[in-house]
Each structure stands twice: as structure tokens, then as C-alpha cells.
Amino acid sequence: MEDMSAYPLEISGDGTPMVSFQKVRKAYGPLVVLDNLDLEVATGEMVSIIGPSGSGKTTVLRMLMTLEQINAGVIYVDGRPLTHMDKAGVLVEATPKHLRARRSDIGMCFQHFNLFPHMTAIQNCMEGPVHVLGLTKAEARDRSEELLELVGMIEKKDQHPSRLSGGQQQRVAIARALAMRPKVMLFDEVTSALDPEVIGEVTNVIRKLVSEHNLTMLMVTHQMGFARDISDRVCFFYDGKIEEQGRPADLFGNPKRERTQQFLSAVKEAV
Amino acid sequence: MFDWLFKDEWFPKFDWNWGYTWEIIPRLLEATLNTIIAAGAGYAIALVFGLFLALAQRSKSRALTFIVRELVEFVRSTPLLLQIFFIFYVGPQVGITLSPWVSGMITIGLHYSCYLSEVYRGGIESVPKGQWEAATALNMSTLQTYKRVVIPQAIPPAIPGMGNYLVGIFKDTPMLSVIGVAELIHTANAIGSETWRYLEAYTLVGIIFLALSLPAAGFIRAFESFVRRKLGM
């Protein structure tokens, strides 16, 4: 069988991709996590990343958020290099200043929410807009209230995270990330740490974002049903490579690669 | 039946003189104020400088980290008394002449800043990595991350350790008597040498230290829970 990852990717948006990984390599010492990764995400596209643990899927998001340095290759966001700087036509490694300037296009939600425990829900949302974007408190408050309304957390806006359930904290975290108006949103296993009965309230918020907003999104998830429902494209990662990718109906309904079939049937058994 | 137990010569003769006691109390209270000022000023120096030492040890510069870590280790491994003598007596030889008060507070402040830097470091390290990552995801600068996210969370767990060193610095102020700072022990010595009566002065000094140190632990606990409540944690 041919190597699916070698196929040119079908871009559903308009022209240049929003995110582009080009021959990206990430290794921790001798352990290669991602090898020669090429991945493009179109503007407004929702891409889900699935795969067994240790396959490098979370690393993809962390590199894009600049939480991890890459060892080789280049990542482009919105047509401009993120991990590198263009110096007289030559790409050189990015300085912290460059990373700070370019990272503003990207927002991220984490498995364990990572809300600031010493701030209320609305303070969490206002923190970035006020101190990073330089908005006035009033502007930031309006923006944050709007977003807390969107995620259904406006009634709890003055609560500290310790008084909120996991699902509620994750919804605040989504509002906090959106308050920075990123072009790309990253969701890193945002439902994995949640009790089953509150997963729905978080997935519903993401569903709403997909249907009502033209955000580019990358999501690492273990919820196959959810990925199938809302994604434009699903990538199956195995051993640091994209083993197979395609439309959700194709990948879940008719997986071509043996490892994909094995993974999907193992997941199905577990449910 | 226990008469044999209470033979007079087995007990030292304490002849406590109340009149004399009342006479020396004002001088000792004045010295108490001096002790509190010395401890307070030294502690203030230690609180601020200790934070810089802690942050310097976390800097990306290997050289800075190395120098600061060795400095902290050096200060913690040599006696405070030696450091007090050194700054006060050797300082003038290299052109730094400080009054007993100033050199005393600086020395004790720098000494304790090394201990406090370790307390801060522990507090900073107790802040989960996810908090740093969330701050990065919000595109905050390193300085903003420390100021707005990490240090507020690092303080509550550090408060018990900070409180211990407040009591510690208070109990170490008598060392400043050796360079002539008129704190409690220095004053008690002066009183004793004037009248050859040491019992009352030293006893009172002990009571004063006890009266100030004992409530400190309770106060620190209350302060910690106050800060935690204030931060919503």
C-alpha cells in the first residue's frame, strides 16, 4: 500500500494555508517524536489529530504554540514563518522577540485547563487582553463578558477556578484563549481530564465555534465520535508520522492502512 | 517528710529586686524597639534581595546562575558573626565605612536574603508547569509571567518558611551587639556592668524575646490563610 502521507494535501480554503509544517522534526535526545512532518491546515479548517499515545500528536500542537522548539524544518502561520525569521532571504532561527510577535496568531486550550487559580473567571479572560494586547479594562471586560456568555459561563464570571467544575473551568479556558482573538485555536485533549457527564458541555462549545466562527482549529482528541462529527479532516498519527488522513467519513468508515484499522477497532472495543 | 529534698544550700540564691526591675524596664523597652527596627529593616532587605537572588538563580545565563548559587552557598556556610565582623571591621580598610547600625542591618539582611532565596525558589518551583505554558499561550512576557502569574502563586506556600526566618532574624539580632548596636542584649550587658546585677536584666530580655516570638507562629499561620483567601486559593 502507498504511503498516504506522501499525497499532496487537499486544501479546502482559499489559497495559502493558515498553518503549514514543512519537514518538521522533533527529537528528545535519541528519541524521535516527529519525523519529517508535512502538514497543512487551510483557513477555517477543523483538523482533528488522533492516534495512540506517544505518537507525537500533542507535540504537533505544542510546537505550533512555541512551547517546544523544533529541531529541523519550518512552521509557517498565515504565510509567514513562525519558528524562523526571514533575514535577507535566508531563514534563521527565531529570536524570543520574533516568537512573541508571531505567537499572537495562536491560542491554545490544555488538557488540565491551566487557569490562573488566583484570578476569577473574568480576570482570567481579561488578563491577556489588558496586559498583552493593551486594551483598557472596560474594553477587555466587554470582550470577556461576551465570550463568557458564548461558553455559557457568564453567571460564574466572578468565581475562582477552585469553585468551578472541570467542564466549567475548561469553558472559561476556551473563553480566555478566544479573548486574544487568535487566528488558529489549538485544543489539546480538552476533554480527557473531564468526568464523562460534563464532556458534552465542552464539546458543545467547540461545536458552536466550528459552526458559527471561521476559526482555524487543530484538535487532539480521543473522542472519535466527536472528531468524526465536527472535523473537516482527520489525521491519524502513528510513530511520529501521519499514517493516514482524510475526510472523517472516509477515515473512520473505510480506513485504508492496517494500523489505522487496528487503532480504530481497538478504540471501538474499549467503548 | 520531704524535708531532706529542700535543703537551702541546694538552691541558688535568687534575690530578685522589684524596685530595680521597674527602674530598668524603660531602658529595655527602648532597646526592644531598636531590636525590632534592626530585625525589621534586615528582614525587609532580605525579602527584596532574596527574591532577586531566587530569580537570578533561574535566569538563562549559566554564568549568573553559577555565581549566585555559589554566593548563596558561601553565605549560608559561614557564620553570621564572622560576616558581621568582616563588613564592619574589614569594610573601612577597603574604603567602606558604615555605622554599626547600617552595617549590622545590611549584613543581617544579606545573610538572610540567601536563606529566603531558597524559600522563594521552592515556592516558584511549586507553581505547576502548566501555568507557565498558559502564560506563554496568552503571549505574556517572562516578566509579566513572573509578576502576574508565578509570584502570586509562589508566595502562599513560601509564607511558613518566610515566617520562620522572620523569627530567626529576630533571634539573631543580639549578634549585632558585638559591633555596638544598642539592641536588647547590648543594653542588658550595659545595665549589668553598671550595677553588677545581671539577673533582672537578662531575665527580662528572655521574657521580651519569648513574648515577641511566641505569637509570631500563630500570626504567620493566620497571615498565610489570609493571603490564600485573598488570592481565592
PDB file of all heavy atoms in Angstrom, chain A residues 62 65 100 103-104 114-119 127 131-132 160 162 176 180, chain B residues 130-131 133-141 144 148-149 152-153 231-233:
ATOM      1  N   ARG A  62       2.003  21.578  20.548  1.00  0.00           N
ATOM      2  CA  ARG A  62       2.938  22.293  21.423  1.00  0.00           C
ATOM      3  C   ARG A  62       4.004  23.034  20.611  1.00  0.00           C
ATOM      4  O   ARG A  62       4.448  24.108  20.990  1.00  0.00           O
ATOM      5  CB  ARG A  62       3.573  21.324  22.423  1.00  0.00           C
ATOM      6  CG  ARG A  62       2.551  20.793  23.445  1.00  0.00           C
ATOM      7  CD  ARG A  62       3.161  19.774  24.390  1.00  0.00           C
ATOM      8  NE  ARG A  62       4.290  20.329  25.123  1.00  0.00           N
ATOM      9  CZ  ARG A  62       4.178  21.068  26.225  1.00  0.00           C
ATOM     10  NH1 ARG A  62       2.978  21.320  26.720  1.00  0.00           N
ATOM     11  NH2 ARG A  62       5.241  21.541  26.816  1.00  0.00           N
ATOM     12  N   MET A  65       2.400  26.122  19.277  1.00  0.00           N
ATOM     13  CA  MET A  65       2.222  27.139  20.329  1.00  0.00           C
ATOM     14  C   MET A  65       3.576  27.671  20.795  1.00  0.00           C
ATOM     15  O   MET A  65       3.630  28.504  21.679  1.00  0.00           O
ATOM     16  CB  MET A  65       1.443  26.514  21.494  1.00  0.00           C
ATOM     17  CG  MET A  65       0.914  27.499  22.529  1.00  0.00           C
ATOM     18  SD  MET A  65      -0.337  28.643  21.922  1.00  0.00           S
ATOM     19  CE  MET A  65       0.575  30.158  21.761  1.00  0.00           C
ATOM     20  N   ARG A 100       7.408  36.076  20.085  1.00  0.00           N
ATOM     21  CA  ARG A 100       6.348  36.817  20.771  1.00  0.00           C
ATOM     22  C   ARG A 100       5.451  37.531  19.776  1.00  0.00           C
ATOM     23  O   ARG A 100       4.240  37.605  19.959  1.00  0.00           O
ATOM     24  CB  ARG A 100       6.968  37.832  21.736  1.00  0.00           C
ATOM     25  CG  ARG A 100       6.622  37.494  23.166  1.00  0.00           C
ATOM     26  CD  ARG A 100       6.717  38.684  24.076  1.00  0.00           C
ATOM     27  NE  ARG A 100       5.438  38.883  24.739  1.00  0.00           N
ATOM     28  CZ  ARG A 100       5.121  39.991  25.367  1.00  0.00           C
ATOM     29  NH1 ARG A 100       5.960  40.988  25.424  1.00  0.00           N
ATOM     30  NH2 ARG A 100       3.954  40.097  25.960  1.00  0.00           N
ATOM     31  N   ARG A 103       3.449  34.609  17.771  1.00  0.00           N
ATOM     32  CA  ARG A 103       2.637  33.693  18.570  1.00  0.00           C
ATOM     33  C   ARG A 103       1.232  34.246  18.810  1.00  0.00           C
ATOM     34  O   ARG A 103       0.330  33.514  19.149  1.00  0.00           O
ATOM     35  CB  ARG A 103       3.422  33.497  19.863  1.00  0.00           C
ATOM     36  CG  ARG A 103       2.810  32.899  21.015  1.00  0.00           C
ATOM     37  CD  ARG A 103       3.885  32.278  21.877  1.00  0.00           C
ATOM     38  NE  ARG A 103       4.591  33.299  22.634  1.00  0.00           N
ATOM     39  CZ  ARG A 103       5.818  33.159  23.082  1.00  0.00           C
ATOM     40  NH1 ARG A 103       6.500  32.078  22.858  1.00  0.00           N
ATOM     41  NH2 ARG A 103       6.377  34.118  23.761  1.00  0.00           N
ATOM     42  N   SER A 104       1.070  35.554  18.591  1.00  0.00           N
ATOM     43  CA  SER A 104      -0.233  36.158  18.876  1.00  0.00           C
ATOM     44  C   SER A 104      -1.324  35.623  17.955  1.00  0.00           C
ATOM     45  O   SER A 104      -2.507  35.802  18.233  1.00  0.00           O
ATOM     46  CB  SER A 104      -0.131  37.677  18.748  1.00  0.00           C
ATOM     47  OG  SER A 104       0.312  38.001  17.450  1.00  0.00           O
ATOM     48  N   ASN A 114      -5.365  24.735  33.066  1.00  0.00           N
ATOM     49  CA  ASN A 114      -4.317  25.704  33.407  1.00  0.00           C
ATOM     50  C   ASN A 114      -4.847  27.120  33.589  1.00  0.00           C
ATOM     51  O   ASN A 114      -4.203  28.088  33.206  1.00  0.00           O
ATOM     52  CB  ASN A 114      -3.205  25.717  32.344  1.00  0.00           C
ATOM     53  CG  ASN A 114      -2.533  24.371  32.197  1.00  0.00           C
ATOM     54  OD1 ASN A 114      -2.847  23.442  32.943  1.00  0.00           O
ATOM     55  ND2 ASN A 114      -1.625  24.248  31.267  1.00  0.00           N
ATOM     56  N   LEU A 115      -6.014  27.233  34.177  1.00  0.00           N
ATOM     57  CA  LEU A 115      -6.498  28.571  34.526  1.00  0.00           C
ATOM     58  C   LEU A 115      -5.608  29.106  35.651  1.00  0.00           C
ATOM     59  O   LEU A 115      -5.019  28.340  36.400  1.00  0.00           O
ATOM     60  CB  LEU A 115      -7.950  28.513  35.012  1.00  0.00           C
ATOM     61  CG  LEU A 115      -9.003  28.252  33.930  1.00  0.00           C
ATOM     62  CD1 LEU A 115     -10.380  28.148  34.572  1.00  0.00           C
ATOM     63  CD2 LEU A 115      -8.996  29.330  32.867  1.00  0.00           C
ATOM     64  N   PHE A 116      -5.542  30.438  35.762  1.00  0.00           N
ATOM     65  CA  PHE A 116      -4.771  31.035  36.849  1.00  0.00           C
ATOM     66  C   PHE A 116      -5.622  30.986  38.120  1.00  0.00           C
ATOM     67  O   PHE A 116      -6.677  31.620  38.182  1.00  0.00           O
ATOM     68  CB  PHE A 116      -4.385  32.478  36.502  1.00  0.00           C
ATOM     69  CG  PHE A 116      -3.611  32.588  35.216  1.00  0.00           C
ATOM     70  CD1 PHE A 116      -3.915  33.555  34.274  1.00  0.00           C
ATOM     71  CD2 PHE A 116      -2.565  31.709  34.946  1.00  0.00           C
ATOM     72  CE1 PHE A 116      -3.195  33.647  33.085  1.00  0.00           C
ATOM     73  CE2 PHE A 116      -1.853  31.791  33.761  1.00  0.00           C
ATOM     74  CZ  PHE A 116      -2.166  32.756  32.825  1.00  0.00           C
ATOM     75  N   PRO A 117      -5.199  30.219  39.130  1.00  0.00           N
ATOM     76  CA  PRO A 117      -6.073  29.966  40.275  1.00  0.00           C
ATOM     77  C   PRO A 117      -6.332  31.197  41.130  1.00  0.00           C
ATOM     78  O   PRO A 117      -7.304  31.240  41.861  1.00  0.00           O
ATOM     79  CB  PRO A 117      -5.310  28.898  41.078  1.00  0.00           C
ATOM     80  CG  PRO A 117      -3.894  29.047  40.662  1.00  0.00           C
ATOM     81  CD  PRO A 117      -3.916  29.521  39.240  1.00  0.00           C
ATOM     82  N   HIS A 118      -5.446  32.200  41.041  1.00  0.00           N
ATOM     83  CA  HIS A 118      -5.615  33.378  41.883  1.00  0.00           C
ATOM     84  C   HIS A 118      -6.458  34.452  41.209  1.00  0.00           C
ATOM     85  O   HIS A 118      -6.555  35.557  41.715  1.00  0.00           O
ATOM     86  CB  HIS A 118      -4.253  33.935  42.281  1.00  0.00           C
ATOM     87  CG  HIS A 118      -3.362  34.248  41.118  1.00  0.00           C
ATOM     88  ND1 HIS A 118      -2.981  33.310  40.196  1.00  0.00           N
ATOM     89  CD2 HIS A 118      -2.788  35.401  40.715  1.00  0.00           C
ATOM     90  CE1 HIS A 118      -2.211  33.855  39.287  1.00  0.00           C
ATOM     91  NE2 HIS A 118      -2.070  35.132  39.581  1.00  0.00           N
ATOM     92  N   MET A 119      -7.044  34.122  40.065  1.00  0.00           N
ATOM     93  CA  MET A 119      -7.895  35.089  39.378  1.00  0.00           C
ATOM     94  C   MET A 119      -9.279  34.480  39.166  1.00  0.00           C
ATOM     95  O   MET A 119      -9.410  33.270  38.982  1.00  0.00           O
ATOM     96  CB  MET A 119      -7.309  35.428  38.004  1.00  0.00           C
ATOM     97  CG  MET A 119      -5.924  36.038  38.051  1.00  0.00           C
ATOM     98  SD  MET A 119      -5.361  36.396  36.381  1.00  0.00           S
ATOM     99  CE  MET A 119      -3.622  36.696  36.694  1.00  0.00           C
ATOM    100  N   GLU A 127      -6.929  39.040  31.543  1.00  0.00           N
ATOM    101  CA  GLU A 127      -5.501  39.161  31.793  1.00  0.00           C
ATOM    102  C   GLU A 127      -4.706  39.447  30.507  1.00  0.00           C
ATOM    103  O   GLU A 127      -3.955  40.417  30.435  1.00  0.00           O
ATOM    104  CB  GLU A 127      -4.980  37.873  32.453  1.00  0.00           C
ATOM    105  CG  GLU A 127      -3.507  37.884  32.820  1.00  0.00           C
ATOM    106  CD  GLU A 127      -3.141  38.944  33.851  1.00  0.00           C
ATOM    107  OE1 GLU A 127      -4.038  39.375  34.601  1.00  0.00           O
ATOM    108  OE2 GLU A 127      -1.966  39.329  33.892  1.00  0.00           O
ATOM    109  N   HIS A 131      -3.048  43.079  29.619  1.00  0.00           N
ATOM    110  CA  HIS A 131      -1.603  43.191  29.829  1.00  0.00           C
ATOM    111  C   HIS A 131      -0.762  42.850  28.608  1.00  0.00           C
ATOM    112  O   HIS A 131       0.398  43.208  28.537  1.00  0.00           O
ATOM    113  CB  HIS A 131      -1.174  42.343  31.022  1.00  0.00           C
ATOM    114  CG  HIS A 131      -1.689  42.903  32.319  1.00  0.00           C
ATOM    115  ND1 HIS A 131      -2.831  42.429  32.928  1.00  0.00           N
ATOM    116  CD2 HIS A 131      -1.247  43.917  33.083  1.00  0.00           C
ATOM    117  CE1 HIS A 131      -3.058  43.125  34.025  1.00  0.00           C
ATOM    118  NE2 HIS A 131      -2.118  44.026  34.142  1.00  0.00           N
ATOM    119  N   VAL A 132      -1.343  42.136  27.665  1.00  0.00           N
ATOM    120  CA  VAL A 132      -0.570  41.800  26.466  1.00  0.00           C
ATOM    121  C   VAL A 132      -1.035  42.632  25.272  1.00  0.00           C
ATOM    122  O   VAL A 132      -0.221  43.219  24.567  1.00  0.00           O
ATOM    123  CB  VAL A 132      -0.660  40.287  26.152  1.00  0.00           C
ATOM    124  CG1 VAL A 132       0.100  39.954  24.876  1.00  0.00           C
ATOM    125  CG2 VAL A 132      -0.133  39.469  27.326  1.00  0.00           C
ATOM    126  N   HIS A 160     -13.662  31.971  41.427  1.00  0.00           N
ATOM    127  CA  HIS A 160     -12.306  31.483  41.193  1.00  0.00           C
ATOM    128  C   HIS A 160     -12.378  30.052  40.646  1.00  0.00           C
ATOM    129  O   HIS A 160     -13.344  29.335  40.916  1.00  0.00           O
ATOM    130  CB  HIS A 160     -11.498  31.507  42.491  1.00  0.00           C
ATOM    131  CG  HIS A 160     -10.984  32.868  42.843  1.00  0.00           C
ATOM    132  ND1 HIS A 160     -11.702  33.750  43.611  1.00  0.00           N
ATOM    133  CD2 HIS A 160      -9.836  33.509  42.512  1.00  0.00           C
ATOM    134  CE1 HIS A 160     -11.006  34.869  43.748  1.00  0.00           C
ATOM    135  NE2 HIS A 160      -9.874  34.761  43.088  1.00  0.00           N
ATOM    136  N   SER A 162     -11.143  27.352  41.574  1.00  0.00           N
ATOM    137  CA  SER A 162     -11.326  26.287  42.572  1.00  0.00           C
ATOM    138  C   SER A 162     -12.799  26.036  42.872  1.00  0.00           C
ATOM    139  O   SER A 162     -13.146  24.979  43.392  1.00  0.00           O
ATOM    140  CB  SER A 162     -10.594  26.657  43.864  1.00  0.00           C
ATOM    141  OG  SER A 162     -11.039  27.920  44.323  1.00  0.00           O
ATOM    142  N   ARG A 176     -10.945  32.338  27.593  1.00  0.00           N
ATOM    143  CA  ARG A 176      -9.694  33.063  27.822  1.00  0.00           C
ATOM    144  C   ARG A 176      -8.827  33.064  26.560  1.00  0.00           C
ATOM    145  O   ARG A 176      -8.250  34.085  26.189  1.00  0.00           O
ATOM    146  CB  ARG A 176      -8.916  32.406  28.981  1.00  0.00           C
ATOM    147  CG  ARG A 176      -7.557  33.027  29.218  1.00  0.00           C
ATOM    148  CD  ARG A 176      -6.869  32.440  30.426  1.00  0.00           C
ATOM    149  NE  ARG A 176      -6.380  31.080  30.181  1.00  0.00           N
ATOM    150  CZ  ARG A 176      -5.584  30.429  31.027  1.00  0.00           C
ATOM    151  NH1 ARG A 176      -5.212  30.985  32.164  1.00  0.00           N
ATOM    152  NH2 ARG A 176      -5.180  29.201  30.754  1.00  0.00           N
ATOM    153  N   MET A 180      -8.032  36.564  23.136  1.00  0.00           N
ATOM    154  CA  MET A 180      -6.833  37.084  22.476  1.00  0.00           C
ATOM    155  C   MET A 180      -7.029  37.185  20.961  1.00  0.00           C
ATOM    156  O   MET A 180      -6.109  37.559  20.241  1.00  0.00           O
ATOM    157  CB  MET A 180      -5.622  36.193  22.781  1.00  0.00           C
ATOM    158  CG  MET A 180      -5.273  36.094  24.265  1.00  0.00           C
ATOM    159  SD  MET A 180      -4.861  37.682  24.990  1.00  0.00           S
ATOM    160  CE  MET A 180      -3.207  37.921  24.360  1.00  0.00           C
TER     161      MET A 180
ATOM    162  N   GLY B 130       2.187  23.947  33.864  1.00  0.00           N
ATOM    163  CA  GLY B 130       1.042  24.356  33.049  1.00  0.00           C
ATOM    164  C   GLY B 130       0.735  25.841  33.159  1.00  0.00           C
ATOM    165  O   GLY B 130       0.204  26.441  32.228  1.00  0.00           O
ATOM    166  N   GLN B 131       1.069  26.437  34.304  1.00  0.00           N
ATOM    167  CA  GLN B 131       0.825  27.869  34.476  1.00  0.00           C
ATOM    168  C   GLN B 131       1.737  28.679  33.560  1.00  0.00           C
ATOM    169  O   GLN B 131       1.327  29.676  32.981  1.00  0.00           O
ATOM    170  CB  GLN B 131       1.059  28.262  35.940  1.00  0.00           C
ATOM    171  CG  GLN B 131       0.039  27.658  36.888  1.00  0.00           C
ATOM    172  CD  GLN B 131      -1.329  28.279  36.706  1.00  0.00           C
ATOM    173  OE1 GLN B 131      -1.483  29.485  36.736  1.00  0.00           O
ATOM    174  NE2 GLN B 131      -2.334  27.436  36.492  1.00  0.00           N
ATOM    175  N   GLU B 133       2.945  27.544  30.772  1.00  0.00           N
ATOM    176  CA  GLU B 133       2.509  27.292  29.397  1.00  0.00           C
ATOM    177  C   GLU B 133       1.280  28.123  29.063  1.00  0.00           C
ATOM    178  O   GLU B 133       1.164  28.673  27.962  1.00  0.00           O
ATOM    179  CB  GLU B 133       2.248  25.797  29.201  1.00  0.00           C
ATOM    180  CG  GLU B 133       3.538  24.996  29.336  1.00  0.00           C
ATOM    181  CD  GLU B 133       3.355  23.517  29.144  1.00  0.00           C
ATOM    182  OE1 GLU B 133       2.206  23.046  29.151  1.00  0.00           O
ATOM    183  OE2 GLU B 133       4.389  22.825  28.997  1.00  0.00           O
ATOM    184  N   ALA B 134       0.368  28.233  30.040  1.00  0.00           N
ATOM    185  CA  ALA B 134      -0.823  29.053  29.799  1.00  0.00           C
ATOM    186  C   ALA B 134      -0.412  30.512  29.572  1.00  0.00           C
ATOM    187  O   ALA B 134      -0.968  31.193  28.719  1.00  0.00           O
ATOM    188  CB  ALA B 134      -1.779  28.947  30.980  1.00  0.00           C
ATOM    189  N   ALA B 135       0.570  30.969  30.338  1.00  0.00           N
ATOM    190  CA  ALA B 135       1.031  32.351  30.175  1.00  0.00           C
ATOM    191  C   ALA B 135       1.670  32.542  28.800  1.00  0.00           C
ATOM    192  O   ALA B 135       1.460  33.565  28.144  1.00  0.00           O
ATOM    193  CB  ALA B 135       2.018  32.712  31.277  1.00  0.00           C
ATOM    194  N   THR B 136       2.425  31.542  28.356  1.00  0.00           N
ATOM    195  CA  THR B 136       3.009  31.615  27.010  1.00  0.00           C
ATOM    196  C   THR B 136       1.905  31.630  25.952  1.00  0.00           C
ATOM    197  O   THR B 136       1.962  32.396  24.997  1.00  0.00           O
ATOM    198  CB  THR B 136       3.943  30.414  26.756  1.00  0.00           C
ATOM    199  OG1 THR B 136       4.943  30.404  27.770  1.00  0.00           O
ATOM    200  CG2 THR B 136       4.609  30.511  25.400  1.00  0.00           C
ATOM    201  N   ALA B 137       0.896  30.787  26.157  1.00  0.00           N
ATOM    202  CA  ALA B 137      -0.195  30.722  25.187  1.00  0.00           C
ATOM    203  C   ALA B 137      -0.938  32.063  25.110  1.00  0.00           C
ATOM    204  O   ALA B 137      -1.514  32.392  24.089  1.00  0.00           O
ATOM    205  CB  ALA B 137      -1.162  29.597  25.537  1.00  0.00           C
ATOM    206  N   LEU B 138      -0.913  32.812  26.212  1.00  0.00           N
ATOM    207  CA  LEU B 138      -1.514  34.158  26.189  1.00  0.00           C
ATOM    208  C   LEU B 138      -0.492  35.194  25.739  1.00  0.00           C
ATOM    209  O   LEU B 138      -0.762  36.393  25.773  1.00  0.00           O
ATOM    210  CB  LEU B 138      -2.052  34.526  27.565  1.00  0.00           C
ATOM    211  CG  LEU B 138      -3.273  33.755  28.055  1.00  0.00           C
ATOM    212  CD1 LEU B 138      -3.677  34.223  29.439  1.00  0.00           C
ATOM    213  CD2 LEU B 138      -4.443  33.919  27.098  1.00  0.00           C
ATOM    214  N   ASN B 139       0.680  34.707  25.355  1.00  0.00           N
ATOM    215  CA  ASN B 139       1.729  35.577  24.814  1.00  0.00           C
ATOM    216  C   ASN B 139       2.248  36.586  25.840  1.00  0.00           C
ATOM    217  O   ASN B 139       2.617  37.707  25.499  1.00  0.00           O
ATOM    218  CB  ASN B 139       1.222  36.309  23.564  1.00  0.00           C
ATOM    219  CG  ASN B 139       2.337  36.591  22.589  1.00  0.00           C
ATOM    220  OD1 ASN B 139       3.481  36.147  22.799  1.00  0.00           O
ATOM    221  ND2 ASN B 139       2.044  37.322  21.534  1.00  0.00           N
ATOM    222  N   MET B 140       2.266  36.193  27.111  1.00  0.00           N
ATOM    223  CA  MET B 140       2.803  37.085  28.129  1.00  0.00           C
ATOM    224  C   MET B 140       4.327  37.033  28.097  1.00  0.00           C
ATOM    225  O   MET B 140       4.914  35.997  27.774  1.00  0.00           O
ATOM    226  CB  MET B 140       2.295  36.675  29.520  1.00  0.00           C
ATOM    227  CG  MET B 140       0.796  36.825  29.667  1.00  0.00           C
ATOM    228  SD  MET B 140       0.144  36.062  31.170  1.00  0.00           S
ATOM    229  CE  MET B 140       0.442  37.369  32.337  1.00  0.00           C
ATOM    230  N   SER B 141       4.977  38.143  28.467  1.00  0.00           N
ATOM    231  CA  SER B 141       6.435  38.154  28.527  1.00  0.00           C
ATOM    232  C   SER B 141       6.885  37.429  29.798  1.00  0.00           C
ATOM    233  O   SER B 141       6.076  37.144  30.678  1.00  0.00           O
ATOM    234  CB  SER B 141       6.945  39.583  28.553  1.00  0.00           C
ATOM    235  OG  SER B 141       6.586  40.192  29.769  1.00  0.00           O
ATOM    236  N   GLN B 144       6.116  39.582  32.786  1.00  0.00           N
ATOM    237  CA  GLN B 144       4.685  39.558  33.110  1.00  0.00           C
ATOM    238  C   GLN B 144       4.295  38.230  33.741  1.00  0.00           C
ATOM    239  O   GLN B 144       3.488  38.190  34.670  1.00  0.00           O
ATOM    240  CB  GLN B 144       3.851  39.761  31.832  1.00  0.00           C
ATOM    241  CG  GLN B 144       3.834  41.193  31.319  1.00  0.00           C
ATOM    242  CD  GLN B 144       3.193  41.297  29.945  1.00  0.00           C
ATOM    243  OE1 GLN B 144       3.207  40.356  29.166  1.00  0.00           O
ATOM    244  NE2 GLN B 144       2.643  42.467  29.657  1.00  0.00           N
ATOM    245  N   ARG B 148       2.634  38.506  37.249  1.00  0.00           N
ATOM    246  CA  ARG B 148       1.180  38.357  37.293  1.00  0.00           C
ATOM    247  C   ARG B 148       0.742  36.932  37.619  1.00  0.00           C
ATOM    248  O   ARG B 148      -0.358  36.740  38.120  1.00  0.00           O
ATOM    249  CB  ARG B 148       0.575  38.771  35.939  1.00  0.00           C
ATOM    250  CG  ARG B 148       1.044  40.104  35.416  1.00  0.00           C
ATOM    251  CD  ARG B 148       0.181  41.251  35.816  1.00  0.00           C
ATOM    252  NE  ARG B 148      -1.223  40.907  35.895  1.00  0.00           N
ATOM    253  CZ  ARG B 148      -2.090  41.570  36.655  1.00  0.00           C
ATOM    254  NH1 ARG B 148      -1.689  42.576  37.389  1.00  0.00           N
ATOM    255  NH2 ARG B 148      -3.358  41.210  36.672  1.00  0.00           N
ATOM    256  N   VAL B 149       1.571  35.947  37.255  1.00  0.00           N
ATOM    257  CA  VAL B 149       1.112  34.561  37.367  1.00  0.00           C
ATOM    258  C   VAL B 149       1.912  33.767  38.404  1.00  0.00           C
ATOM    259  O   VAL B 149       1.339  33.169  39.308  1.00  0.00           O
ATOM    260  CB  VAL B 149       1.195  33.845  35.988  1.00  0.00           C
ATOM    261  CG1 VAL B 149       0.810  32.382  36.113  1.00  0.00           C
ATOM    262  CG2 VAL B 149       0.308  34.552  34.973  1.00  0.00           C
ATOM    263  N   PRO B 152       2.590  35.534  42.462  1.00  0.00           N
ATOM    264  CA  PRO B 152       1.413  35.463  43.340  1.00  0.00           C
ATOM    265  C   PRO B 152       1.112  34.046  43.822  1.00  0.00           C
ATOM    266  O   PRO B 152       0.652  33.860  44.942  1.00  0.00           O
ATOM    267  CB  PRO B 152       0.281  35.980  42.446  1.00  0.00           C
ATOM    268  CG  PRO B 152       0.947  36.845  41.447  1.00  0.00           C
ATOM    269  CD  PRO B 152       2.295  36.225  41.193  1.00  0.00           C
ATOM    270  N   GLN B 153       1.386  33.051  42.978  1.00  0.00           N
ATOM    271  CA  GLN B 153       1.120  31.680  43.390  1.00  0.00           C
ATOM    272  C   GLN B 153       2.268  31.088  44.206  1.00  0.00           C
ATOM    273  O   GLN B 153       2.086  30.108  44.923  1.00  0.00           O
ATOM    274  CB  GLN B 153       0.889  30.788  42.164  1.00  0.00           C
ATOM    275  CG  GLN B 153      -0.367  31.136  41.411  1.00  0.00           C
ATOM    276  CD  GLN B 153      -0.569  30.210  40.239  1.00  0.00           C
ATOM    277  OE1 GLN B 153      -0.730  29.001  40.399  1.00  0.00           O
ATOM    278  NE2 GLN B 153      -0.564  30.765  39.042  1.00  0.00           N
ATOM    279  N   LEU B 231      -6.283  35.464  47.540  1.00  0.00           N
ATOM    280  CA  LEU B 231      -5.982  35.033  46.177  1.00  0.00           C
ATOM    281  C   LEU B 231      -7.009  34.027  45.669  1.00  0.00           C
ATOM    282  O   LEU B 231      -6.906  33.539  44.562  1.00  0.00           O
ATOM    283  CB  LEU B 231      -4.579  34.416  46.112  1.00  0.00           C
ATOM    284  CG  LEU B 231      -3.416  35.375  46.367  1.00  0.00           C
ATOM    285  CD1 LEU B 231      -2.104  34.619  46.384  1.00  0.00           C
ATOM    286  CD2 LEU B 231      -3.376  36.459  45.304  1.00  0.00           C
ATOM    287  N   GLY B 232      -7.984  33.688  46.491  1.00  0.00           N
ATOM    288  CA  GLY B 232      -9.028  32.765  46.060  1.00  0.00           C
ATOM    289  C   GLY B 232      -8.569  31.322  45.941  1.00  0.00           C
ATOM    290  O   GLY B 232      -9.117  30.555  45.180  1.00  0.00           O
ATOM    291  N   MET B 233      -7.506  30.981  46.722  1.00  0.00           N
ATOM    292  CA  MET B 233      -6.982  29.621  46.603  1.00  0.00           C
ATOM    293  C   MET B 233      -7.271  28.772  47.838  1.00  0.00           C
ATOM    294  O   MET B 233      -7.631  29.235  48.850  1.00  0.00           O
ATOM    295  CB  MET B 233      -5.489  29.652  46.344  1.00  0.00           C
ATOM    296  CG  MET B 233      -5.237  30.470  45.145  1.00  0.00           C
ATOM    297  SD  MET B 233      -3.571  30.764  44.559  1.00  0.00           S
ATOM    298  CE  MET B 233      -2.451  30.075  45.625  1.00  0.00           C
TER     299      MET B 233
END
